[in-house]
Amino acid sequence: MRFKNESGPLKLYAVAGTQTVLLSFDIALAKIDTKNFLGFDIRRTDKDGSVHSLNGTKLFKSLMNDITVTDPKLKHLSLVQSFFWKDYTADPEQTYIYTVTAMSGTALHHQPLFASTIKVRTEPLQKGKHSVYFNYGVTGSQAYVKRFGDTPVNNLAPKKKEEALAMLGRELWKEGLIKFVQQANGKKFSLFGAFYEFQYPDFLKEIKAAKATGADVQIVFSAQPGQNKEPKANGTLRSNKQAIANAGITAICHPRTKANQPHNKFMVLCEDGKPKQVWTGSTNITPAGIFGQCNTGHWIVDSAIANKYMKYWTLLQTNPDLINLSAVSSTIQPDTDLKKLADGTYVFFSPRDLPAKKNTTPVHLSNYAKLIDSAKELVCMVFPFNIDDVFTKVYRKQKKYLRLLIFEKAAQAKSVKSNDINLKVTGGAILKTPVEEWAKEVSSKTTVEAGILYVHNKFFIIDPLGKDPVVISGSANFSGSSITSNDENSMLIKGDQRVADIYLTEFNRLFEHFWPRYLSEILPKNKNQGFEKPLDETFVWHKDYFDPKKYDKKRKDLFINMQGAVKG
């Protein structure tokens, strides 16, 4: 949900997801430019009256180096030198009051200039047609180290392991995947799933338990060699077939072989034979998918959408060839100009656009690129693997609005070459050494063994703070093969501000986690950048937030101009 308080000199704006709140501030330059303006102090008041500082951990250099400052509280005195901040410690469906105070003075002695408050309500975890779930995975690395050290999850004591998995899985695991399956409780229910990697024993136990209640449970799984490998030397399971056999559910599982990659990750819940709900997203049923790399789950309560998934699944479970499945995919939702869609939810299944033509971009992929190119204010996109040429061409264009891209690897991020200052890219780089006051971190390979270590989400957002935001989310990697030769599903949701707010706040959490780490990797010789840059004491840090050509000003304007904000 979106909020604003423009009643005083210091104006506040907020966008709330389920567990993240984005905050933006604005104030007339004349009110701070000659006032020895140091930064902002940010506090959150919870419903029980408790107050929490949200200030960062960066320090003023003079305090870091001044040996006469012996008080530990002064030693760690910090402010926020940004007109944009974020709260990653919020809980769903809670009311918070944020107090933001502009401070002047010296590093050691701060005086308030202006203060303002904004009342914010976070989104419920589950509400209406669309509910969205995320894990922490690698972006919880600092919290993981603080609580569990650098010990891999599987080497923790049983109780600690349970705590670690609960933290890394966030709401994606128990509140999402498990809760969805547990609805299939009794003979009146049916559960039909299609999965690429289907291996995590605790989830397969839930599938078996649902079947034991009398529910009709059927699973299509990838029987391709890539998802059915021999276990590693340490015994790590890598086979769908073996996991299914170990769980004792072979009789209800159907192998899928006639696709390049049977890449779906969805379930359909039926009641009294009628499709009612869908679970989809990017999450494979493996420890890495649920607890390691960053992933998304999307829960839909809508009979019309569920019927479309059921029609697709009904053919899928017969192991059809690509041409026959493509005919059904294209019938459920034909290719169309995505820029002209009315508000609503649209489902696209693959394979489609067959027969595939050599050296030709599939129509549906081109339609994605045209939709991105039609944006007016902001594009946010995640590329877990390589970027297709059709998108590279779009992002090489000069645009006046911001475009933010996240890649799994730094090398992939570097491949997007552009002189456009409005295009920002990052990869899943990780700090190799601790710097200043930051905790030592670990990668997802240390916490949960994985092939993809950092970013596995598959979604993008067009103009999320506008009146008619667009969110695309599902299993597809936005590649040619994901359109023409894989089993895939993706949803396009237009005009739903709740959905856009949740995806935007999560995208920002990911981007803000990886970006300074990425910069530290690509600019290793550039000192005083990213994490290592101390707080400014020359009173010029705020200039970029008033320069219309700069990223910081453009981001500030997004919040000032956002649609649908209510008084907070």
Side-chain angles (χ1 to χ4, degrees):
M1 197 167 178
R2 304 163 191 193
F3 304 88
K4 63 182 179 180
N5 181 2
E6 299 177 315
S7 60
L10 178 56
K11 297 172 175 53
L12 306 183
Y13 305 87
V15 177
T18 51
Q19 298 190 31
T20 296
V21 178
L22 305 183
L23 299 164
S24 184
F25 327 130
D26 190 32
I27 192 170
L29 180 59
K31 292 185 176 297
I32 57 174
D33 213 23
T34 59
K35 305 289 186 180
N36 289 353
F37 179 43
L38 288 171
F40 296 102
D41 177 77
I42 305 173
R43 311 271 168 170
R44 189 188 81 192
T45 303
D46 295 353
K47 64 179 181 180
D48 62 1
S50 59
V51 179
H52 309 272
S53 171
L54 298 184
N55 293 352
T57 58
K58 284 190 175 184
L59 309 175
F60 290 100
K61 189 173 182 180
S62 62
L63 295 186
M64 295 163 53
N65 299 332
D66 189 349
I67 61 173
T68 64
V69 180
T70 57
D71 187 336
K73 293 181 180 179
L74 296 178
K75 178 77 172 175
H76 293 85
L77 197 60
S78 178
L79 292 174
V80 171
Q81 288 190 339
S82 174
F83 280 70
F84 174 78
W85 206 238
K86 49 271 174 187
D87 180 4
Y88 298 145
T89 62
D91 290 319
E93 207 168 0
Q94 295 295 316
T95 298
Y96 301 107
I97 297 175
Y98 294 92
T99 302
V100 181
T101 307
M103 309 296 286
S104 67
T106 66
L108 194 56
H109 299 290
H110 305 168
Q111 293 87 37
L113 283 171
F114 304 99
S116 186
T117 63
I118 189 167
K119 191 175 185 179
V120 172
R121 180 78 174 173
T122 53
E123 290 286 347
L125 197 55
Q126 192 162 18
K127 178 185 177 183
K129 181 185 292 188
H130 294 285
S131 300
V132 192
Y133 302 79
F134 301 101
N135 63 354
Y136 275 128
V138 69
T139 59
S141 57
Q142 286 188 18
Y144 184 94
V145 168
K146 289 177 182 177
R147 291 181 61 181
F148 308 106
D150 59 1
T151 303
V153 169
N154 288 336
N155 293 346
L156 294 172
K159 186 176 180 180
K160 286 290 185 182
K161 179 179 178 180
E162 184 177 352
E163 293 175 3
L165 292 178
M167 186 205 80
L168 293 170
R170 203 177 172 195
E171 73 269 19
L172 177 64
W173 175 226
K174 290 187 176 179
E175 293 297 317
L177 281 161
I178 295 299
K179 191 175 179 180
F180 188 92
V181 171
Q182 289 178 345
Q183 293 179 109
N185 185 13
K187 294 182 179 180
K188 66 185 297 186
F189 293 100
S190 305
L191 187 68
F192 304 103
F195 290 102
Y196 178 60
E197 293 181 331
F198 189 64
Q199 298 164 15
Y200 186 48
D202 286 8
F203 183 81
L204 272 61
K205 287 178 185 176
E206 294 292 336
I207 294 293
K208 186 176 183 179
K211 177 65 177 176
T213 69
D216 181 16
V217 181
Q218 305 290 332
I219 304 294
V220 174
F221 70 94
S222 173
Q224 298 286 46
Q227 293 74 58
N228 294 278
K229 299 177 181 179
E230 292 296 320
K232 289 189 174 182
N234 63 4
T236 300
L237 183 66
R238 298 192 297 168
S239 170
N240 291 345
K241 294 177 182 178
Q242 188 61 56
I244 288 167
N246 292 349
I249 56 174
T250 301
I252 63 172
C253 294
H254 311 278
R256 174 75 172 128
T257 61
K258 297 178 182 179
N260 176 46
Q261 295 290 358
H263 201 242
N264 285 302
K265 312 118 177 24
F266 74 82
M267 296 178 281
V268 182
L269 179 72
C270 300
E271 185 175 356
D272 296 325
K274 297 179 180 178
K276 297 290 187 180
Q277 301 179 28
V278 174
W279 172 275
T280 186
S282 64
T283 309
N284 286 310
I285 307 302
T286 62
I290 300 168
F291 306 108
Q293 66 216 198
C294 302
N295 267 313
T296 309
H298 197 117
W299 185 333
I300 310 102
V301 180
D302 184 275
S303 295
I305 297 172
N307 269 291
K308 292 178 180 180
Y309 273 87
M310 194 66 226
K311 182 177 181 180
Y312 177 72
W313 186 91
T314 299
L315 181 57
L316 197 66
Q317 62 93 24
T318 68
N319 196 24
D321 60 31
L322 293 181
I323 291 294
N324 286 328
L325 186 57
S326 174
V328 171
S329 299
S330 300
T331 300
I332 295 172
Q333 175 59 65
D335 290 333
T336 186
D337 187 342
L338 304 179
K339 305 190 302 296
K340 297 180 179 180
L341 294 176
D343 288 356
T345 301
Y346 304 84
V347 183
F348 297 90
F349 295 101
S350 292
R352 62 193 304 120
D353 297 348
L354 296 180
K357 299 178 181 178
K358 190 175 182 180
N359 300 322
T360 301
T361 301
V363 174
H364 188 57
L365 205 64
S366 293
N367 286 339
Y368 277 154
K370 292 174 184 176
L371 178 64
I372 292 168
D373 205 30
S374 72
K376 299 293 188 293
E377 297 178 334
L378 175 66
V379 175
C380 304
M381 194 166 187
V382 182
F383 290 98
F385 298 96
N386 295 324
I387 181 171
D388 192 278
D389 285 344
V390 70
F391 297 115
T392 302
K393 292 175 183 176
V394 169
Y395 289 121
R396 280 178 180 163
K397 294 182 180 180
Q398 299 286 310
K399 295 289 184 179
K400 294 182 179 180
Y401 57 85
L402 297 180
R403 296 173 295 168
L404 309 178
L405 311 181
I406 301 175
F407 293 84
E408 155 66 4
K409 297 180 179 179
Q412 295 163 346
K414 294 175 188 176
S415 71
V416 183
K417 299 183 185 301
S418 173
N419 295 322
D420 188 353
I421 62 171
N422 296 315
L423 177 68
K424 305 293 182 184
V425 302
T426 186
I430 200 74
L431 290 178
K432 297 177 175 61
T433 58
V435 289
E436 293 190 3
E437 301 298 321
W438 289 82
K440 184 179 180 181
E441 296 181 321
V442 294
S443 73
S444 65
K445 190 173 183 179
T446 306
T447 54
V448 179
E449 189 167 333
I452 300 298
L453 297 181
Y454 306 104
V455 180
H456 194 254
N457 314 74
K458 298 115 178 19
F459 69 84
F460 67 92
I461 322 169
I462 308 293
D463 296 335
L465 295 179
K467 181 182 178 182
D468 285 309
V470 175
V471 174
I472 292 87
S473 184
S475 68
N477 288 311
F478 311 122
S479 65
S481 60
S482 73
I483 303 300
T484 61
S485 60
N486 291 359
D487 296 343
E488 305 278 13
N489 71 98
S490 294
M491 283 188 305
L492 186 154
I493 305 158
K494 184 177 181 181
D496 192 320
Q497 292 185 354
R498 164 181 154 82
V499 171
D501 292 348
I502 294 171
Y503 272 96
L504 174 63
T505 54
E506 180 65 14
F507 180 91
N508 182 83
R509 188 181 71 83
L510 298 177
F511 192 87
E512 293 280 327
H513 177 87
F514 290 122
W515 195 23
R517 292 157 175 78
Y518 172 70
L519 292 179
S520 74
E521 180 163 306
I522 66 172
L523 302 172
K525 297 178 181 179
N526 194 344
K527 299 299 182 182
N528 291 330
Q529 295 294 321
F531 288 124
E532 298 185 29
K533 188 176 180 179
L535 294 178
D536 171 55
E537 295 178 66
T538 64
F539 313 113
V540 298
W541 67 270
H542 61 279
K543 300 292 186 181
D544 284 355
Y545 293 88
F546 296 89
D547 185 339
K549 296 181 180 180
K550 294 297 180 66
Y551 167 77
D552 294 325
K553 173 66 163 61
K554 291 175 181 288
R555 182 176 57 186
K556 184 157 65 87
D557 288 345
L558 283 172
F559 288 84
I560 295 171
N561 298 323
M562 67 181 172
Q563 300 296 301
V566 300
K567 180 70 168 66

